[in-house]
Amino acid sequence: QVQVVESGGGLVQAGGSLRLSCAASGNIFSINRMGWYRQAPGKQRELVATITSGGSTDYADSMKGRFTISRDNAKNTVYLQMNSLKPEDTAVYYCNALVVLFTKYEYSYWGQGTQVTVSS
């Protein structure tokens, strides 16, 4: 059993900053890629950023330069620092973890999501 829990969402004014955290726990052997995705009302879930266990990152074009993803492997935790927020960043942000269990099989786990609202 693996749990993925996000925190750090909230309401912020345009131009402000928020930092999201996501911690994975349970019967984890290792975690490969971790990432953040978001879903705005009426839209499909989209990639925000991902990071591998080695620290390689990938960002959606609209987030480059404003968002920074980082990771603490010892804590099985991934962070998303969001700066210069815009009203169009308003969405539910979901954490995803590609977890290798002690069975050595890899599974994808999602958190419940955390709401980010940016007011204009």
Side-chain angles (χ1 to χ4, degrees), residues 109-120:
Y109 291 92
W110 291 90
Q112 292 297 308
T114 185
Q115 177 71 46
V116 172
T117 303
V118 184
S119 63
S120 57

Side-chain angles (χ1 to χ4, degrees), residues 17-20 66-70 79-83:
S17 298
L18 279 176
R19 187 188 193 215
L20 306 182
R66 298 190 300 125
F67 292 6
T68 302
I69 190 169
S70 61
Y79 306 96
L80 185 68
Q81 178 66 43
M82 304 185 292
N83 298 327

Side-chain angles (χ1 to χ4, degrees), residues 6-24:
E6 305 102 335
S7 61
L11 173 65
V12 65
Q13 288 188 332
S17 298
L18 279 176
R19 187 188 193 215
L20 306 182
S21 300
C22 168

Side-chain angles (χ1 to χ4, degrees), residues 10 16 31 35-37 44 52 54 56 63 76-77 80-82 89-90 92 95 97 115 118:
I31 302 179
W36 291 96
Y37 297 75
Q44 290 188 331
T52 67
S56 297
M63 285 66 155
N76 290 334
T77 299
L80 185 68
Q81 178 66 43
M82 304 185 292
D89 293 318
T90 295
V92 178
C95 178
Q115 177 71 46
V118 184

Side-chain angles (χ1 to χ4, degrees), residues 38-46 88-92 94 115:
R38 70 184 187 184
Q39 187 166 18
K43 295 187 176 181
Q44 290 188 331
R45 191 172 297 189
E46 63 175 351
E88 51 264 43
D89 293 318
T90 295
V92 178
Y94 295 91
Q115 177 71 46

